[in-house]
Each structure stands twice: as C-alpha cells, then as structure tokens.
Amino acid sequence: MNIYLIEATSHILLEEEVQKIVKDSQNKIIYNAEECEIEEILNEASYVSMFQEMKYIIVKNANFFGTQKRKEEEMLFKYLEQPYPLCTIIFTTYNPVDQRKKTTKLIKENYKCINIVSPKGLELYNKVASLLVEKKFLAEKEVINYIINACLGNYDLIYNEISKIDLYYEKPTKLTIEMIKQIISKGMVDNNFKFIDAVILKDLKKALQYLEELMIQKIEPLSLINLLAREYRNMLLIKTMVEKKYSKKEITLKLHIQDWQYEKTYQNSQNYHKDDLKDYLIKMEKLDYQIKSGEIDKVIGLKIFLLELYEY
C-alpha cells in the first residue's frame, strides 16, 4: 500500500494519521500542492534511490481531488496506474473529496482512501477523557464537559488547550474547573456561550457582535456552525421525545446532557416549530458543504445564515 488519500477537517487527527504511516522514517519530503505543480511531485516520486530505501512524499492541500481541476491530472492518473514501488505518496486535504473523479476511484480500488471524521458527542467525550488520562490527569465529568464546551467541541482547540494544561500543572493531579479556568480564556468561554445564546434567541445585533470578537480570537467558524447545529438538533430531539412522553431522565441519558442543559434547551425549544428546526439543520448541512468545497467564505456564509434567521 504505497498511495494514500486522507480527507479530514481536523489538523491534529490528520497529522496523527500521517505519522502512523510514516512512523520514524527520516526519508520524507513535504509538498504544498497549492504552491507547486503535480509534475514536480511526480518527478520526485519517480526518482530512483541508490539506497533502495522507502521514500515518503506528503502532499498537503491536495485539493485537486475535490471539485477543483488541475491540467496535470491525467499525468497523475498515469502515475497512479503504475507507481514507483519504493515511494509512498500521502495526499492530504481538508476539503471534501470528489468520489466521481477517476483519480479518486483508482485510489479507492487499488490503494487506500481515509476519511477522518472529527469526533462528536460521546466519542468526543471519551477521546478527551483518554487524552487527559494519557497526560496523567484525573478529571470529573463536569470538568471534561467544561473543556469541550469551552472549545466549541473542536478537537483541535481541545488538544491545544490540554497541551497548555500539560505544561502548566504537575502530574499526576486531579483537575478542577477552577484550575481549567486559569488556562482556558474566560473571555473566550463567555463569548462562545453568549454567541450561541444570541443566535438561539435570534438577537442578530448581539450575535454579530460576539461573532466579530470570536473571529479576533481565531475561533474556527466551522466549529461555531457545528455547535449551533448541535443546539438545533437537541431542541428538535427534545421536542420530539417530550411529545412521545419520554421522561426528563430518559432524555438526558439518551442525549448525554446534564439537567441544567435539558432545562435550558427545553425552554428554548418552545419558541421554535419542529419544521423550522429541521429546515435550519438542512441549511447548516448545506452551508457546511459549501464552505468545505470552497463555494463560500466561512465567515460570510455564517453571517448570511444569521441574516436568514429573520425570514422565519
């Protein structure tokens, strides 16, 4: 297996996957596909090493596997039909891969395509808990949830914040929320929650104000979109489950939320029709695709979504 195509939205998880393939090899070359020609990469891949040693070529931003086209794609296809056996090429992209392209199909049929889905919900909780244990920290459920919510459920942000915690505190130690607040910016946490609350309450002026502040703090717009989608989804699920006579305890267990989250989400859901919530989720899924495929700018797309809320 010497050709890989890796698609991901998480920088950390993508790099971890690449490391699994490359391992401890020092014979590796990194290219940015946005800054060089495919021909240059293939020439390097075809170069015969006198030491008969496996060479790894990591091609970052290989966005030509998406809807974007490159004139040299036919050259790439021909190489993929008969690659040099002592060279492993790892194509990576943060954009959606076009499954209809013949280069993509060829890799799927003969080599390996990897789609890394960023963890969410219980999977994300377990991953964060495992990361803390790996760093020799003990943490209660509320501490783990605080870290996840403060970082908008974005694994890369979470990983970076836990790395700061790792440098700041001795191990082993039991983490408290007070200790975490010393590391994770209180302003960032407050603005995250204030932004989501403003959007849910359809307060456009405040939502745009908090959005500008979050952009200054370099918060990833896709993380905000995912967090908003989670809130709308939970409101829809709670409305549906309440109609079906589920108890509060059953709902909190199924959705992995705390009592205060249930109360808040339930109250907010009373101001929405189920059809509107379904429509919001469809719109957010479409927006997520448009951003990842390069059809629309992240911030502009999110602002347009906020403006459209006032049509309801």
Side-chain angles (χ1 to χ4, degrees), residues 27 46-55 84-87:
N27 191 16
S46 303
Y47 176 73
V48 179
S49 170
M50 68 175 68
F51 300 108
Q52 294 294 297
E53 173 187 12
M54 178 61 75
K55 173 171 57 180
Y84 178 53
L86 286 177
C87 179

Side-chain angles (χ1 to χ4, degrees), residues 5-9 93 95-97 99 113-118:
L5 172 56
I6 306 175
E7 172 190 353
T9 55
T93 178
N95 293 327
V97 168
Q99 303 296 328
C113 280
I114 301 171
N115 181 16
I116 302 173
V117 179
S118 294

Side-chain angles (χ1 to χ4, degrees), residues 95-233:
N95 293 327
V97 168
D98 188 346
Q99 303 296 328
R100 300 166 298 178
K101 281 197 170 182
K102 63 179 185 177
T103 47
T104 305
K105 289 179 180 177
L106 183 59
I107 293 177
K108 285 185 71 174
E109 289 170 6
N110 299 317
Y111 307 107
K112 191 163 187 179
C113 280
I114 301 171
N115 181 16
I116 302 173
V117 179
S118 294
K120 296 176 183 176
L122 183 59
E123 182 187 0
L124 177 60
Y125 177 92
N126 289 336
K127 196 165 182 64
V128 174
S130 297
L131 183 58
L132 288 169
V133 169
E134 181 185 316
K135 301 289 185 182
K136 302 189 186 316
F137 288 116
L138 296 174
E140 298 290 344
K141 183 177 179 180
E142 66 172 339
V143 171
I144 296 172
N145 282 328
Y146 181 90
I147 294 172
I148 292 172
N149 290 327
C151 296
L152 297 173
N154 182 306
Y155 182 71
D156 285 9
L157 274 178
I158 292 167
Y159 187 93
N160 290 335
E161 294 304 316
I162 290 178
S163 295
K164 292 180 190 175
I165 294 167
D166 185 35
L167 293 172
Y168 196 82
Y169 293 113
E170 293 182 359
K171 280 84 65 183
T173 191
K174 184 174 181 178
L175 296 173
T176 65
I177 287 183
E178 288 67 32
M179 293 165 71
I180 297 301
K181 285 181 178 179
Q182 292 185 48
I183 306 298
I184 302 178
S185 165
K186 187 177 185 301
M188 182 181 80
V189 176
D190 289 346
N191 284 345
N192 289 347
F193 290 124
K194 287 176 182 177
F195 170 75
I196 298 302
D197 285 345
V199 176
I200 297 300
L201 295 173
K202 296 187 180 181
D203 188 334
L204 180 64
K205 184 177 179 180
K206 284 187 177 179
L208 291 174
Q209 175 187 332
Y210 292 130
L211 179 60
E212 292 300 326
E213 292 176 13
L214 289 167
M215 291 306 96
I216 291 171
Q217 294 172 340
K218 306 296 183 184
I219 298 300
E220 171 57 54
L222 281 171
S223 298
L224 295 172
I225 291 169
N226 289 335
L227 190 62
L228 271 175
R230 187 184 73 180
E231 290 299 309
Y232 289 132
R233 190 176 295 109

Side-chain angles (χ1 to χ4, degrees), residues 243-259:
E243 287 175 2
K244 292 182 177 180
K245 308 301 181 184
Y246 279 77
S247 69
K248 175 180 172 181
K249 183 176 181 181
E250 288 174 319
I251 295 173
T252 55
L253 285 173
K254 283 184 177 292
L255 299 186
H256 304 290
I257 58 176
Q258 297 180 37
D259 287 351

